[in-house]
Amino acid sequence: MINYEPDILTRLKPVTIAALLAVLLVFGVAIACADTNQAIAETIAAEAGGEGFQGMQAVANVIANRAGQQHKTPYQIVSQRKQFYGFNAKNRRKLYLQVKASADYLAANIMTLPDITGGATSFENINAFGKPSWAKKMIKTVTINHHTFYRERS
């Protein structure tokens, strides 16, 4: 014969259930936050992992600048369709693991990093891909390693 406790939830008071749900919600938000930060870190790594810390910071600055202008979160920015190659790159995770500490730091602090791009909201490796057509409507702000950064005209 097996002795068992009656279902514990039937013995909990409504206040206890509410507290339990609140704790689960807090942990759920923390898990979601960790997942979005990692996606941002992986995107930064895939876009500029070979560009050193400064190159990765510049990409993080572009993400933050767009987030500020568009009133969106950095995750909403990197996950927008056809905006960041690195978000959907098949080798994103591999590239991320090579620069994990730096990419994690940049993603965790993305909205408070000093802007080294002069307010850039776009960038391109023009040596590899040529000058994009959209760059004609923008102002070049800086070149950092292989990336050229641009901002909108005022």
Side-chain angles (χ1 to χ4, degrees):
M1 176 175 227
I2 299 173
N3 291 329
Y4 67 93
E5 284 285 316
D7 185 4
I8 193 164
L9 290 178
T10 61
R11 293 186 292 144
L12 293 176
K13 297 184 186 306
V15 172
T16 308
I17 293 173
L20 179 62
L21 290 173
V23 168
L24 292 174
L25 179 62
V26 168
F27 282 111
V29 170
I31 291 167
C33 183
D35 290 346
T36 58
N37 274 354
Q38 183 165 340
I40 295 164
E42 289 179 5
T43 301
I44 291 168
E47 292 285 353
E51 301 292 309
F53 185 85
Q54 187 180 31
M56 289 192 299
Q57 180 179 341
V59 168
N61 289 153
V62 166
I63 295 165
N65 290 340
R66 286 190 194 182
Q69 283 184 359
Q70 297 175 25
H71 306 288
K72 293 184 177 181
T73 67
Y75 180 79
Q76 289 172 314
I77 296 299
V78 299
S79 63
Q80 286 177 334
R81 191 169 183 266
K82 295 186 177 185
Q83 292 300 302
F84 286 89
Y85 158 81
F87 184 78
N88 293 310
K90 291 181 179 166
N91 60 346
R92 176 178 104 172
R93 179 85 174 146
K94 181 181 176 183
L95 295 169
Y96 163 73
L97 291 174
Q98 295 172 7
V99 292
K100 183 181 184 312
S102 295
D104 285 346
Y105 172 83
L106 293 166
N109 297 288
I110 195 163
M111 296 306 290
T112 59
L113 297 169
D115 186 357
I116 61 173
T117 68
T121 54
S122 298
F123 66 96
E124 183 61 82
N125 181 338
I126 60 174
N127 293 329
F129 302 108
K131 190 173 181 179
S133 60
W134 51 257
K136 294 174 189 166
K137 302 173 187 169
M138 302 183 87
I139 297 171
K140 176 183 169 185
T141 60
V142 67
T143 298
I144 298 174
N145 299 323
H146 295 100
H147 288 141
T148 302
F149 293 83
Y150 302 88
R151 66 175 170 79
E152 286 80 15
R153 295 185 186 274
S154 299

